[in-house]
Amino acid sequence: MTGYGTERDAYLKRLRRIEGQIRGLQRMVEQDKYCIDILTQVSAATKALQSFSLELLDEHLATCVVQAAAAGGEEADLKVREASDAIARLVRS
């Protein structure tokens, strides 16, 4: 059960943009750019990944978790536990 079906293209576009940021970081290191400039770009890439993660989590809660909760039973418990674990991982990162 995936909830990103309708947003798949937008998610892929964002991930490609983040990939470009990471490649830019590689180039900066290869070109011996100033450390603070690299760290600034690391911060931007990190924020982009965090934003993507939160949007994907929101989509998951609104679709997968809500559908499982409506059905009830073990599946609902599993989806809530998965979401809780995912949130904990995001908070720790």
Side-chain angles (χ1 to χ4, degrees):
M1 177 182 328
T2 58
Y4 54 79
T6 59
E7 298 296 321
R8 181 179 177 166
D9 290 340
Y11 288 154
L12 288 172
K13 183 177 179 180
R14 287 179 73 180
L15 288 171
R16 286 184 193 105
R17 191 175 316 125
I18 293 167
E19 180 182 21
Q21 288 178 293
I22 301 304
R23 286 191 181 145
L25 283 167
Q26 290 171 332
R27 282 190 301 277
M28 290 177 81
V29 170
E30 289 168 351
Q31 296 169 359
D32 290 325
K33 296 292 184 180
Y34 186 55
C35 296
I36 298 302
D37 293 340
I38 295 171
L39 289 170
T40 299
Q41 293 307 310
V42 167
S43 178
T46 299
K47 288 192 183 284
L49 277 172
Q50 289 171 339
S51 175
F52 173 78
S53 297
L54 290 174
E55 190 171 320
L56 190 60
L57 177 63
D58 186 54
E59 184 73 25
H60 178 70
L61 291 171
T63 56
C64 299
V65 175
V66 167
Q67 290 171 5
E74 279 187 40
E75 184 70 15
D77 294 340
L78 174 66
K79 292 297 179 191
V80 169
R81 193 167 33 256
E82 284 177 347
S84 179
D85 291 345
I87 292 167
R89 285 191 301 274
L90 288 172
V91 169
R92 283 191 298 266
S93 66

